[in-house]
């Protein structure tokens, strides 16, 4: 591997324009495809096979008008005033009629035409706490008025799920309802969270790139050298994210997918190029090699580590495909392609750019400073830190385990879900809508459930008497506020019921209610000879969180097995893979523990730019685990391969640990700071989901790079000494020698130089 990469690096260095033009052509093709196909993305996070999705699919086939998504708008009057004045009612009624006249919006009259209306007597005895908004003695369809008359809630339904709507539809709805805010009306219209725009990247992400540029400048010592990793990373993001968008008409892509690709692409793109440029500069300054030879060797040695480090990230991401969740698989594949492109750029475009830069990669000042200091003067902070970790290894091991173990405790209380308006910032329309609806009608109105009742007998029918009895029994449940029969289909074997819980969409009580309603042995189902299905946005999110929670331990198992196999191949050691895997598990548990404390419990919420805690994003643990595993192994490969290189070249015991740490710690430190900075820039994004992912990744890298790899690893390596590299002879014969350290390459080059002499 190292020999092949050495030749590739030398070729790219010698013929830079060929490689540069090839990548520019690829960028041009991506741009052309993007222009032709356009950009299409969706907020859909559907998981096939869940109970709610099965019910939704059945509705879509049997009663399409009832299978669409739901949304709402809250209208408010000024303090101390009412909405049910003639002028204000007229404005609200006009806005609602405008909404009902739009495509993709169900008019109640249309639903009644498709489904036989339920007998109004079926709901007799309901203690409906809210009255309809009246216009000239006639109820305004779909609108309820709070007890004090200050809040009106307009609930309506789309013909399809929100994820399938053209972007213009929510915009037109918002435009129609906000028309009531004309001068003098005093009415305020606040659309619900389901009408919000898609997640976007804000301005704070650029801060991470600026910090990365500063770290690169300090580490590499010149503007030219620092600029190269930034150029390759930005080009990698442009190609990978642009390519994903260009294919978005062929594959359904979630709104978060490209943002995730930007996160990972920037982080690994900068880091991988940094490792190679830093190795080239070391070879120039320490070994007095020419820039051409140093670049070729850097690609052959550090490039091998980059290749296998990138491979671990790709394998970890692709491991998510085993879980079988469509939108998560797409995220993983796009992120994996982003990593692959950045690896290829680091191994081909970077040496080409180094060829254009030539000897200017090291300034005259750096060469003079190195010549004056000598090769043996590298005993700075990293050397002292390595010696301290070796000397106090048992104290450090115990302290790290205790600290991270304590940080992991909140994991036992971690709750998963999809962030709702309840956890949005106070100044956002989503939160304002949630709070106003909760105030006027109760939290449950923010998460209505849709019930589908079918007779257990396949040939049976649902009578109006049965439907009325079911509605009354549902209304008697402790956690039910309002039950509204929506109708029975034309064949009489499917009844649709809207149910409003008392508790909010992410509350545990709502989850328990959904389970109670689905229970085939409950009195609701068995007493009425019915099968009850539950769907709707709230039920879908509950099922998604449950499925992902069940899949998380399976994925952790996959990661552990992959970790042991890959590190066994790379390091040719039994102890190193076990040590690395245990360290990763410790760091990832601490990461999720602290993420739970911050984003669920609300610790330090003002520091991180949010107002209210809530459940963690349901797919975040799996996604972050995969990414963190790959990136953690990056640092493991670069740091421990340097220790192995020292061991292979004759240093033993603690000397190999300290020497290897000296050589690699500076670049690993810089890479860790860069990754933390890039991911931390997303913590202050406007979207709650992006905030959580950015925080977990930044914190995970901070813990793994600085506490596990740069503190715990040298301490544990010192405990085992040379035994850390033990490998059974039979296994040694079976495993291929990947030559990550480049020993074969160096030996071949030395042999070649002797032959020339």
């Amino acid at each position: 591997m190292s020999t092949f990469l050495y030749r590739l690096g030398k070729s790219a260095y010698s013929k830079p324009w060929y490689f540069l033009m090839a990548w520019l052509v690829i960028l041009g093709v991506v741009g052309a495809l993007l222009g032709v196909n356009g950009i299409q993305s969706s907020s859909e996070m559907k998981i096939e096979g869940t109970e709610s999705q099965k019910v939704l699919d059945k509705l879509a086939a049997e009663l399409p008008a009832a299978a669409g998504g739901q949304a709402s708008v809250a209208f408010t009057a000024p303090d101390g005033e009412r909405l049910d004045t003639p002028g204000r009612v007229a404005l609200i009624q006009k806005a609602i009629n405008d909404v009902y006249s739009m495509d993709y919006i169900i008019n109640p009259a249309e639903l009644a035409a498709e489904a036989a209306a339920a007998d109004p007597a079926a709901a007799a005895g309901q203690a409906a706490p809210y009255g309809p908004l009246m216009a000239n003695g006639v109820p305004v369809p779909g609108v309820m008025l709070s007890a004090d008359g200050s809040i009106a809630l307009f609930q309506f339904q789309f013909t399809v799920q929100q994820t399938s709507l053209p972007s213009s539809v929510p915009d037109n709805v918002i435009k129609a309802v906000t028309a009531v805010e004309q001068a003098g009306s005093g009415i305020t219209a606040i659309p619900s969270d389901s009408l919000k725009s898609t997640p976007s990247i804000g301005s704070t992400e650029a801060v991470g790139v600026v910090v990365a540029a500063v770290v690169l400048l300090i580490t590499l010592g010149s503007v030219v050298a620092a600029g190269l990793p930034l150029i390759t990373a930005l080009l990698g993001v442009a190609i990978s994210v642009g390519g994903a968008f260009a294919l978005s008409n062929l594959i359904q892509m979630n709104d978060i997918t490209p943002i995730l690709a930007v996160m990972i692409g920037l982080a690994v793109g900068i880091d991988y190029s940094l490792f190679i440029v830093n190795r080239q500069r070391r070879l120039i300054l320490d070994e007095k090699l020419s820039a051409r030879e140093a670049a070729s060797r850097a690609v052959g040695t550090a490039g091998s580590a980059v290749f296998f480090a990138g491979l671990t990230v790709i394998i970890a991401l692709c491991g998510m495909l085993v879980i079988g969740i469509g939108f998560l698989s797409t995220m993983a594949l796009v992120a994996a392609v982003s990593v692959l492109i950045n690896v290829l750029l680091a191994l081909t475009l970077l040496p080409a750019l180094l060829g254009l830069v030539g000897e200017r990669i090291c300034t005259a000042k750096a060469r003079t400073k190195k010549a004056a200091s000598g090769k043996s003067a590298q005993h700075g902070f990293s050397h002292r830190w390595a010696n301290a970790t070796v000397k106090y290894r048992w104290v450090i091991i115990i302290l790290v385990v205790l600290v991270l173990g304590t940080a992991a405790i909140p994991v036992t209380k971690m709750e998963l879900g999809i962030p709702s308006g309840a956890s949005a910032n106070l100044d956002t329309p989503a939160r304002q809508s949630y709070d106003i609806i909760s105030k006027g009608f109760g939290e449950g109105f923010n998460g209505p459930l849709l019930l589908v009742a079918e007779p257990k007998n396949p040939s049976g029918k649902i009578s109006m008497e049965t439907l009325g009895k079911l509605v009354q029994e549902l209304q008697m449940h402790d956690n039910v506020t309002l039950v509204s029969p929506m109708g029975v289909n034309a064949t009489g074997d499917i009844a649709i019921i809207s149910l409003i819980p008392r508790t909010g969409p992410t509350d545990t009580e709502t989850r328990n209610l959904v389970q109670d309603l689905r229970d085939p042995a409950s009195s609701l189902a068995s007493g009425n000879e019915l099968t009850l299905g539950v769907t709707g946005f709230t039920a879908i999110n509950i099922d998604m969180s449950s499925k992902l929670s069940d899949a998380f331990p399976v994925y952790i198992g996959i990661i552990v097995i992959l970790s042991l196999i890959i590190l066994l191949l790379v390091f040719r050691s039994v102890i190193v893979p076990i040590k690395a895997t245990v360290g990763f598990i410790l760091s990832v548990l601490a990461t999720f523990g602290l993420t739970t404390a911050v984003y669920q419990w609300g610790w330090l919420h003002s520091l991180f730019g949010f107002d209210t805690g809530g459940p963690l994003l349901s797919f975040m643990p799996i996604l972050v685990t995969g990414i963190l595993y790959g990136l953690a192994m990056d640092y493991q490969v670069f740091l421990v391969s340097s220790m192995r290189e020292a061991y292979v070249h004759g240093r033993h015991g603690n000397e190999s640990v300290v020497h290897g740490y000296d050589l690699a710690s500076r670049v690993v430190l810089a890479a860790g700071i860069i990754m933390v900075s890039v991911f931390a820039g997303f913590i202050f994004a406007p979207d709650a989901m992006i905030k959580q992912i950015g925080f977990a990744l930044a914190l995970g890298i901070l813990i793994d790079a600085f506490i596990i790899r740069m503190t715990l690893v040298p301490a544990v390596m010192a405990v085992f000494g040379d035994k850390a590299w033990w490998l059974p002879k039979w296994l040694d014969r079976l495993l291929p020698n990947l030559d990550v350290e480049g020993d074969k390459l160096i030996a071949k080059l030395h042999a070649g130089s002797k032959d020339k002499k």
Side-chain angles (χ1 to χ4, degrees), residues 202-214 674 677-682 684:
S203 58
T204 57
E205 289 78 2
V207 175
V209 178
V210 172
V211 173
V214 173
I674 288 170
S677 301
V678 171
F679 291 140
F682 290 84
F684 301 97

Side-chain angles (χ1 to χ4, degrees), residues 403-479:
V403 170
L404 295 186
T406 303
I409 290 175
V411 167
T412 59
K413 304 294 184 182
M414 183 170 65
E415 296 178 5
L416 301 179
I418 300 296
S420 66
S423 57
N425 280 353
L426 295 172
D427 59 350
T428 60
R431 178 60 180 272
Q432 292 167 0
S433 171
Y434 189 96
D435 288 345
I436 287 171
I437 292 173
S438 299
K439 176 186 175 183
F441 306 94
E443 281 195 84
F445 278 84
N446 289 289
L449 300 173
L450 191 65
L451 274 61
V452 176
E454 299 177 84
K456 288 186 177 180
N457 183 352
S459 60
K461 305 292 182 182
I462 299 177
S463 66
M464 291 300 101
E465 291 76 15
T466 300
L467 179 57
K469 181 174 178 287
L470 175 62
V471 168
Q472 290 179 349
E473 291 176 358
L474 287 168
Q475 190 68 55
M476 293 173 64
H477 194 286
D478 292 341
N479 194 26

Side-chain angles (χ1 to χ4, degrees), residues 292-312:
R292 178 174 181 267
E293 181 62 21
S296 304
R297 291 195 186 186
V299 174
T301 53
S304 295
V306 165
F307 176 81
F308 286 106
L311 185 62
T312 59

Side-chain angles (χ1 to χ4, degrees), residues 330-342:
T330 303
M331 283 185 184
L333 287 174
V334 171
V337 169
S338 179
V339 174
L340 175 62
I341 288 172
N342 278 286

Side-chain angles (χ1 to χ4, degrees), residues 38-269:
I39 297 175
Q40 299 179 31
S41 64
S42 165
S43 59
E44 183 175 53
M45 289 184 285
K46 181 170 70 173
I47 300 182
E48 298 290 351
T50 59
E51 290 299 316
S52 55
Q53 191 59 49
K54 291 177 182 177
V55 174
L56 200 60
D57 292 342
K58 188 174 188 65
L59 275 180
E62 300 290 339
L63 199 59
Q70 297 168 314
S72 63
V73 177
F75 298 99
T76 63
D79 290 342
E81 298 185 26
R82 298 179 65 91
L83 286 171
D84 51 356
T85 62
R88 288 172 177 164
V89 170
L91 287 173
I92 293 173
Q93 188 173 31
K94 181 182 183 305
I96 289 168
N97 289 337
D98 289 343
V99 172
Y100 281 148
S101 67
M102 296 177 187
D103 292 336
Y104 297 99
I105 308 292
I106 292 179
N107 190 308
E110 295 175 2
L111 183 60
E114 182 167 338
D119 185 350
Q126 283 190 171
Y130 317 107
L133 180 68
M134 306 296 290
N136 299 321
V138 178
V140 178
V143 184
M144 291 186 298
L145 188 67
S146 64
D148 64 359
S150 66
I151 302 171
L153 178 61
F154 170 40
Q155 293 181 309
F156 58 97
Q157 194 166 354
F158 298 107
T159 57
V160 296
Q161 290 295 307
Q162 283 94 323
T163 54
S164 302
L165 286 172
S167 59
S168 60
V169 174
D171 294 338
N172 290 337
V173 170
I174 292 173
K175 182 179 179 181
V177 297
T178 53
V180 301
E181 299 176 347
Q182 57 184 253
S185 74
I187 304 174
T188 301
I190 305 175
S192 65
D193 189 39
S194 55
L195 291 170
K196 70 178 182 178
S197 58
T198 58
S200 61
I201 298 178
S203 58
T204 57
E205 289 78 2
V207 175
V209 178
V210 172
V211 173
V214 173
V215 173
L216 286 170
L217 184 60
I218 294 172
T219 305
L220 299 178
S222 73
V223 175
V224 173
L228 297 182
L230 287 175
I231 291 172
T232 56
L234 291 173
L235 182 60
V237 167
I239 292 175
S240 58
V241 177
F245 275 135
L247 298 176
S248 60
N249 64 328
L250 301 176
I251 56 173
Q252 187 170 2
M253 189 167 63
N254 187 274
D255 297 323
I256 298 178
T257 302
I259 301 176
L260 181 66
V262 171
M263 278 190 197
I264 298 174
L266 280 175
V268 302

Side-chain angles (χ1 to χ4, degrees), residues 349-428:
L349 179 65
L350 179 62
L353 294 175
L354 290 172
L356 296 177
V357 172
E359 297 293 340
R360 290 174 294 165
I361 194 68
C362 287
T363 62
K365 181 180 178 181
R367 296 172 191 267
T368 303
K369 182 179 179 181
K370 182 63 181 179
S373 64
K375 291 175 63 176
S376 61
Q378 300 297 320
H379 295 304
F381 176 78
S382 66
H383 185 84
R384 294 193 296 272
W385 181 260
N387 276 314
T389 57
V390 167
K391 182 178 180 180
Y392 302 105
R393 48 189 175 270
W394 283 112
V395 174
I396 287 175
I397 291 171
I398 294 171
L399 189 61
V400 167
V401 171
L402 285 176
V403 170
L404 295 186
T406 303
I409 290 175
V411 167
T412 59
K413 304 294 184 182
M414 183 170 65
E415 296 178 5
L416 301 179
I418 300 296
S420 66
S423 57
N425 280 353
L426 295 172
D427 59 350
T428 60

